[in-house]
Amino acid sequence: MSDRKTVMICDDEVDLLYLFRSALEPSYDVLAVESGRSCIEKFIEERQKGKKVDLLLLDYKLGDMLGDVVACKIHELNDVKTFLISAYELEHAIVNHLIERRCIIGIMRKPIRMSVMIKELEKALAPN
């Protein structure tokens, strides 16, 4: 049994998805999806297989729905650590509300430096 953590990445920009995946695959099992709907479906599918998604990197502006909707939906299904990723400046009220509801644990601004992202993930996934 591998003790590697599983990170799911949801972004509708395929080149970014590929970039994130290649940066994370040396250390994590990576699941990559391109839409909010497929993110929720894949999450449920993994859970039904008895697999745990430890962390979710979720783009805010997806083609089919907003990341905050996906984050809260997944939070209802299971307590997973979720980072919202956004190229846009999100309103503090929205971000704070999502953090208070425990839908997300934080936000990362695009463009993201891979080294910074990996440090954030390590911090979030470290045993408390």
Side-chain angles (χ1 to χ4, degrees):
M1 172 83 186
S2 153
D3 58 357
R4 277 166 67 102
K5 301 273 188 201
T6 299
V7 175
M8 184 186 278
I9 310 163
C10 179
D11 199 316
D12 56 355
E13 290 179 56
V14 182
D15 50 348
L16 265 182
L17 214 49
Y18 182 77
L19 188 69
F20 290 163
R21 168 181 257 161
S22 51
L24 297 174
E25 273 184 333
S27 313
Y28 303 100
D29 291 333
V30 179
L31 302 167
V33 289
E34 290 172 34
S35 72
R37 180 177 302 285
S38 58
C39 181
I40 294 165
E41 286 169 359
K42 184 78 177 155
F43 191 87
I44 292 168
E45 189 186 305
E46 289 300 302
R47 240 189 56 191
Q48 287 168 343
K49 285 194 243 168
K51 295 195 177 127
K52 181 180 193 292
V53 174
D54 298 288
L55 193 134
L56 173 61
L57 287 173
L58 180 61
D59 187 31
Y60 182 70
K61 269 219 153 90
L62 295 163
D64 60 345
M65 55 179 82
L66 286 178
D68 55 353
V69 175
V70 179
C72 290
K73 191 95 197 119
I74 284 184
H75 175 67
E76 286 164 22
L77 294 169
N78 190 5
D79 203 14
V80 65
K81 293 175 174 164
T82 300
F83 278 105
L84 264 190
I85 302 172
S86 180
Y88 310 92
E89 189 64 60
L90 298 178
E91 285 180 46
H92 286 295
I94 294 174
V95 173
N96 291 340
H97 179 67
L98 289 169
I99 290 173
E100 276 164 24
R101 284 185 58 200
R102 303 195 48 217
C103 296
I104 65 169
I105 59 168
I107 192 151
M108 293 185 202
R109 286 292 306 275
K110 286 180 180 176
I112 298 170
R113 291 219 323 272
M114 286 302 139
S115 58
V116 172
M117 184 174 84
I118 289 169
K119 273 201 184 72
E120 285 292 320
L121 293 191
E122 286 169 354
K123 212 161 58 183
L125 291 170
N128 298 351

